[in-house]
Amino acid sequence: MFFISHRGNLNGPNKKEENKIEYINKALKKNFDVEIDLWFINNSFFLGHDKPLYKVEKKFLKNKKFWIHAKNLDCFYELSESNLNYFWHEKDKVIFTNKGFFWNYPGTKLNKKSIYVLPENLKKFDKSLEYQGICSDYIMKYKKKITNIKKK
């Protein structure tokens, strides 16, 4: 089961800190995977959701716990030359990541290869569904919830 911190968030959205290297590293230190938003502009990589904000070196991106959301086509094409874990989507119901997972828009039908994205945006968290991982702004809450379910 993958527990994926959305942009480094652990206990709710934090627009001021999301996608900052230090913030991402805090989530990694707590042993979470992290979904990061990445841009490629003028031969450089940048983190940032709505626009490129924080320049990063390619070696930073080589962390196996990253789920990289390519934010522009140049980034997507640049990542296609790598072995990094990445995907591209806009308003698609589901996409296929380059590592063979389904990245599901909240509320779409899941399957055993799905990443349950932002379940907090739904009325109810359905713990009976089959999926491979969860990506959430509240990932600590979901990890506790799922761990407790499996203990029963």
Side-chain angles (χ1 to χ4, degrees):
M1 171 74 65
F2 295 100
F3 292 98
I4 308 164
S5 161
H6 186 237
R7 304 179 192 148
N9 293 316
L10 297 172
N11 294 300
N14 185 339
K15 300 279 186 213
K16 274 179 44 181
E17 298 299 316
E18 292 175 354
N19 282 303
K20 285 185 179 177
I21 292 171
E22 310 79 45
Y23 196 61
I24 291 165
N25 284 336
K26 284 181 186 176
L28 291 170
K29 284 180 184 161
K30 293 195 178 286
N31 206 30
F32 289 103
D33 285 22
V34 182
E35 181 270 347
I36 59 174
D37 297 320
L38 190 70
W39 302 77
F40 189 71
I41 297 171
N42 297 326
N43 284 329
S44 295
F45 287 106
F46 296 86
L47 296 169
H49 177 65
D50 294 322
K51 60 185 176 186
L53 295 172
Y54 314 109
K55 189 174 184 177
V56 293
E57 298 300 322
K58 190 166 187 173
K59 72 178 190 177
F60 171 79
L61 302 173
K62 293 184 178 181
N63 192 313
K64 290 181 187 211
K65 292 182 133 326
F66 284 156
W67 297 72
I68 303 171
H69 178 183
K71 296 298 283 187
N72 63 341
L73 277 175
D74 287 340
C75 185
F76 182 76
Y77 295 144
E78 186 67 20
L79 292 173
S80 74
E81 302 294 324
S82 74
N83 193 30
L84 302 174
N85 184 17
Y86 68 94
F87 61 93
W88 161 279
H89 77 96
E90 288 182 320
K91 295 184 183 192
D92 309 285
K93 289 184 179 182
V94 64
I95 57 92
F96 196 57
T97 73
N98 73 309
K99 298 291 185 184
F101 297 96
F102 299 120
W103 194 265
N104 287 75
Y105 189 82
T108 58
K109 183 179 179 184
L110 304 173
N111 91 353
K112 63 184 178 185
K113 287 180 149 185
S114 290
I115 303 299
Y116 196 163
V117 179
L118 302 176
E120 61 265 25
N121 289 350
L122 305 172
K123 289 180 182 170
K124 183 179 177 215
F125 176 66
D126 189 346
K127 52 189 173 248
S128 69
L129 295 173
E130 196 175 15
Y131 49 89
Q132 191 71 34
I134 293 179
C135 177
S136 172
D137 287 321
Y138 299 88
I139 198 63
M140 292 199 57
K141 174 181 98 171
Y142 287 105
K143 186 172 186 178
K144 282 180 192 170
K145 195 178 277 198
I146 289 167
T147 304
N148 288 338
I149 290 168
K150 289 186 176 185
K151 285 181 184 176
K152 292 179 181 178

